[in-house]
Amino acid sequence: MKLLEQLAPVSEVSHRSGPRDRVVLSSRVRLARNLPHIPFPGHAKRGDRVKAYEQLMPIIQGLAPLSGGLAEPMEKLSALDKQLLVERHLVSREHAAKGVGSGFVLNREESLCVMVNEEDHLRMQALRVGLQLGEAWTAIDAIDTALQQKVELAYSRSYGFLTACPTNLGTGIRVSAMLHLPGLVLAEQVGQIIQAVGKLGLAVRGLYGEGTEALGNLFQVSNQMTLGESEPEIVEKLNKVILQIIEHEDNARKSLLAKKPRWVFNHVGRAYGILCNAHTISSKETLNLLSLLWLGMDAGLIPADARPLVNELFLVTQPAHLQCLFSQQEKMASEERDVLRSDVLRDRLAGLARPDHRRVASPGLDDSGTPPTS
Amino acid sequence: MKLLEQLAPVSEVSHRSGPRDRVVLSSRVRLARNLPHIPFPGHAKRGDRVKAYEQLMPIIQGLAPLSGGLAEPMEKLSALDKQLLVERHLVSREHAAKGVGSGFVLNREESLCVMVNEEDHLRMQALRVGLQLGEAWTAIDAIDTALQQKVELAYSRSYGFLTACPTNLGTGIRVSAMLHLPGLVLAEQVGQIIQAVGKLGLAVRGLYGEGTEALGNLFQVSNQMTLGESEPEIVEKLNKVILQIIEHEDNARKSLLAKKPRWVFNHVGRAYGILCNAHTISSKETLNLLSLLWLGMDAGLIPADARPLVNELFLVTQPAHLQCLFSQQEKMASEERDVLRSDVLRDRLAGLARPDHRRVASPGLDDSGTPPTS
């Protein structure tokens, strides 16, 4: 059976919703854990990696919240399958590059995913739609507690949990949220926000984590410190900061719609026009334009019931999903995918009425609508 | 009465057609003529300019083909009215800058226009839609003959007609055609063509003549030599070259549609998508995108009966037409016009169905449609 068929159907994923999901697409808490006496995966020889893998996989699969889920060794997966998992944010890009001695375990609801032998022996993640950091923390903490009843972990009384990279030492926790910030980007305020967030000891990254671009106006915010604070403190701190960012984003959107409605209409309209009429379009351009459709929905230019459609397009236009869902070809050149992507977009968006600014009740609607000086 | 109301209605202009007008938008022949014993306009004092003007205007208006037409002194026209004339290609940008002592005479059909005191005392032009250089030459030659029966012109037995600029000396003729070359531009062959045409002693310029950009894939081709060849030879030479350019353009379009149909669809589709959905758009971008709608019609992606609509938009989205037709404001900032332009485009294009590649029978339709390496 193909991996795609074992994952939640795209239509189901597209209908998921959660608190504050107009800005916070998803919340995630992950814990890094290691076995004692076996080298970290990056330094382990194949035999040691396999040993850790064989010890850990049955234990993880045996944990109640993960039982009956999907468990696969990485070497069994095709490059395309691995990319599918990355596009769903279930495993990291680094993990997707792994082979023998690495694997993952995913629960049925796709709300828990454990990577075995990524950078650490265990990277355990809880995922939620919308702003649900506390819920994600509770879920992963339960997994961690259950795990520690079954296996001894590498732990130091002075440092806490030992990890391959010192940036994870101590709690081994990484709390993050994926934020959609088109308002701050269009208002050219996102740079300030990133700076301010950085000063609070938090990191801001692009769509696929460290070292990736902020495509689609999507930014991942996460803690950097894992030492010296308790997990609930770290979760609470990030939660507070995210609530502030949401407020800034909401204000930026309101302000743009009040002061420069035409500018918003222009961005949303052009995005719609291109997505509906292109005959070749890259993944990057698609992300950036779909982001503007989301903004258009939030602004009322596009009916809110189009959200699942746009969510779905956001997922299925990414390379591996596109290829697995709409092509029989094993391998496709990126130019071929760009053409296929445009076909899918034109087809799916054919029923979506063009953005209508008359749907928007905006106090600034009669202004000249001129964009900021540029 | 406003100047716009004295010119041919936009709807009429939009329906004009002529031979080979898929590539050759218009043909033009102009003659430069001067009075003897009065300094050329650029060197004349105001008194001399007015003297030439007062002598010439009644004579020109009295010529049979121009009688009953529109005759105006430039100083009577507002800046907006002058710009209207430039946008219709009736007077030059240089002439539009003139005031006291300059004027123009236009016949009812708008196929003849004489500028008085532009760079020369007289710049007499015959204009035709499509490729009709011979017809234009015949028309302006008749004017010239009639003129010489009424007034003595500055003429040297050695050099021919004397002109303010030596590049016009001799015949004083400038034969030109406005060409729409999207195929050669998209195929990246237009540079070669310009080079080749230059070697034949012809000039290639942008939409509004010397020193202007090639917006909307529009190029003006004209003779440079006015000395040593007879007028009919010059006309015939340009005609031959233009027939060759038409062939190159036709081949480029066919070849693109056969080899890279997706690429053509992509350009046309995106142009349509943006024009129908933008909420602010510059004049330049509009010209470039409307050019692609013309191409889309010629390629069969857009119904051919949309041509008058696109022609009309090409005219009415230019700054002065836009402002005179759709605004009550005396003065508009360019940002305000950009918004107004987008309103007009969205409104007028609302009834035009999106480009449909299934209408196009192309031998290369099943290819991967990848664009040329870039």
Side-chain angles (χ1 to χ4, degrees), chain A residues 121-135:
Chain A
H121 293 143
L122 289 174
R123 287 279 177 107
M124 312 188 295
Q125 321 170 81
L127 319 161
R128 291 291 183 280
V129 176
L131 182 60
Q132 300 197 60
L133 293 173
E135 291 78 356

Side-chain angles (χ1 to χ4, degrees), chain A residues 14 134 145 149 185 211 290 305 308 323 350:
Chain A
S14 312
T145 304
Q149 285 160 3
V185 170
L290 287 175
D305 61 11
Q323 199 165 332

